[in-house]
Amino acid sequence: MRLPPVSPATRGSGPTLAIRQDNCKRAQPQVSILVIYTFQFRISISRGKGNMASISSGRLEKFSIGRVFSNTFSVIGRSFGSLAVIVGLFTTLPALIYNYWNFSRLASFGVEGVAGMEQAALENYGFVSMIAALVIFVLAFLAQAALVRATVESMNGKQPAVGDCIQIALRSLLPTFGIGIVVFLAMVVAGLIAAFIAALIPFLGWLIALAIIVATAMWVLSISVAIPVVVQEREGVFGSISRSRHLTKGSRWSIFGLFLIIGIMAIVIQGGFSLVIGFMVASAGGISSSGAAAGAVASSLVSSIFSTLISVAIAAAYVELRQVKEGTSVDELAEIFS
C-alpha cells in the first residue's frame, strides 16, 4: 500500500511536523541548560573582577606585625636621609644639648652626682631639667607628625621632602600636643587613683589598682594612632582619639605585641648603654669632660634611633589599619596631602 505523496501544502503538517515538534521539545532543555551555564559563567567572571578590584585597592584581611616591621625598616632604608634630617632637627640636636649639659653638671660634682649638689644648685638643676623636658616633649610630637608624612610618602614610592614634612608637622602641632596632654593627664589621674586605692584597701586594693593600670594601658594602646589621624585626616584632639579607637579595634593585641618587641629592644640597648656609662664613671672616679661629650652623643643617638623606629612603626601601623579596616591604598592616603 503506497502512501500518498506529500504535497507542498501539507509538507509542514502531519507526521513530519510531529517529528519536528518532538525534536524542538528535546532541544529546549539543552538550550535552557546552556543559557543557565552561560549566565553562571558571566556571574563568576563579574565576581572575579570584583575580587581583583578588592585586591588592587590594597585591602588586607588582618593586621600583621611582620608586615608592619617590614614596612618600617623599608621606609627607614629608602628614606634614611630625609628621616635623619627630621630626627636630627627635632630629636637628636635638642637631646644632645640637654644630655651634654646634664653630663657636664654631673661631672662637676664628681662621683656623688646630684647628691653632691647644694640646695640652690639642685633647685636650678631641677628647673632647667623641667623646661628642657617640656621642650623635648613638644619637639618629639613635631618629629612624629613629620615622620607620619615621610612614612606615607616613602611607602607610596616617593622620596619625602623635608620642608613639606616640617610644614605639615607645624600645621598639626596644636592638636598633636593636645593629644599628648590628654594622654599625660589620663596616666597621672589613673596612677593617683590606683595609688590611693592600693593604700586604702590592704589586699584587694592592689588588685583594683592593677586593674586600673591595665585598663589605662589598654586605653593608651587604643589611641596609639591618634597622631597619624591628626596629620592624615586633620581631625581634632577628641575626634582623632575616637577615630584611633575605631581603627585599632580588633587589632590591639597585635599592636601591643608590636610595641612590646620595640620596647624590649629599647630596654636591652638602653640598659647596656647605662651599664657602660656606669662602669666608665666608676673606673675613672667621675665623669670627665670627654666622657660627658661621649655620653651625650651616645645617649642622644640611642634615643633618636628608637624615637625614629617607634614613630615610623606607628605611621606604618596606621597605614596597615586603614588597609585592613577600609581597604585604603597607600597612594590614596598620599593624595590627601597633595
Side-chain angles (χ1 to χ4, degrees):
M1 179 178 180
R2 296 178 58 186
L3 294 174
V6 180
S7 63
T10 61
R11 193 167 292 174
S13 60
T16 304
L17 179 61
I19 293 172
R20 290 181 179 177
Q21 289 177 346
D22 183 63
N23 290 337
C24 289
K25 288 180 181 180
R26 291 179 182 178
Q28 282 178 357
Q30 297 178 0
V31 173
S32 302
I33 294 173
L34 179 62
V35 171
I36 292 173
Y37 280 138
T38 305
F39 183 69
Q40 290 178 345
F41 180 70
R42 288 180 178 177
I43 290 176
S44 65
I45 291 176
S46 63
R47 288 179 178 175
K49 290 180 179 178
N51 292 337
M52 290 297 293
S54 176
I55 294 171
S56 63
S57 66
R59 184 148 197 163
L60 305 175
E61 293 184 359
K62 61 183 296 186
F63 186 92
S64 170
I65 297 177
R67 191 161 47 236
V68 172
F69 265 117
S70 176
N71 290 332
T72 298
F73 288 107
S74 296
V75 167
I76 294 174
R78 288 194 305 265
S79 307
F80 181 81
S82 300
L83 299 182
V85 173
I86 294 171
V87 175
L89 288 175
F90 293 124
T91 303
T92 308
L93 184 59
L96 181 62
I97 294 173
Y98 171 72
N99 287 330
Y100 181 74
W101 174 83
N102 187 36
F103 279 112
S104 299
R105 292 292 292 171
L106 294 177
S108 63
F109 290 95
V111 180
E112 294 181 356
V114 176
M117 294 183 182
E118 298 178 356
Q119 184 64 30
L122 185 60
E123 292 177 356
N124 182 61
Y125 176 83
F127 177 76
V128 174
S129 298
M130 184 177 64
I131 297 299
L134 179 61
V135 172
I136 292 174
F137 182 72
V138 174
L139 293 178
F141 284 108
L142 275 173
Q144 186 175 354
L147 289 173
V148 169
R149 161 69 166 172
T151 300
V152 174
E153 286 289 284
S154 180
M155 290 180 67
N156 197 34
K158 300 178 181 178
Q159 186 62 34
V162 175
D164 183 46
C165 295
I166 294 175
Q167 181 182 2
I168 289 176
L170 291 173
R171 184 190 65 197
S172 309
L173 176 59
L174 290 180
T176 298
F177 184 69
I179 291 173
I181 295 298
V182 169
V183 173
F184 176 76
L185 292 177
M187 294 177 66
V188 169
V189 171
L192 291 176
I193 293 174
F196 176 76
I197 293 177
L200 186 65
I201 306 174
F203 176 74
L204 185 60
W206 284 100
L207 296 178
I208 297 174
L210 180 62
I212 292 174
I213 292 173
V214 171
T216 305
M218 293 303 296
W219 179 79
V220 172
L221 191 67
S222 71
I223 65 170
S224 56
V225 296
I227 290 179
V229 171
V230 167
V231 176
Q232 173 64 31
E233 304 177 30
R234 303 177 185 179
E235 295 281 352
V237 174
F238 296 103
S240 298
I241 289 174
S242 176
R243 172 72 168 151
S244 176
R245 287 179 57 81
H246 167 72
L247 288 175
T248 57
K249 187 177 181 180
S251 303
R252 291 169 189 169
W253 284 112
S254 298
I255 297 173
F256 172 77
L258 173 70
F259 293 153
L260 179 63
I261 295 172
I262 297 176
I264 292 174
M265 293 169 58
I267 290 172
V268 170
I269 294 181
Q270 188 67 40
F273 169 76
S274 299
L275 288 175
V276 171
I277 292 297
F279 179 76
M280 291 172 57
V281 171
S283 300
I287 303 177
S288 62
S289 298
S290 59
V297 171
S299 178
S300 301
L301 288 177
V302 170
S303 62
S304 298
I305 289 171
F306 281 100
S307 65
T308 303
L309 181 60
I310 192 68
S311 296
V312 175
I314 289 174
Y318 167 75
V319 174
E320 177 88 359
L321 290 169
R322 288 289 303 269
Q323 292 177 325
V324 170
K325 286 280 187 178
E326 302 163 349
T328 307
S329 61
V330 182
D331 54 347
E332 290 173 337
L333 289 170
E335 284 177 1
I336 298 180
F337 289 114
S338 58

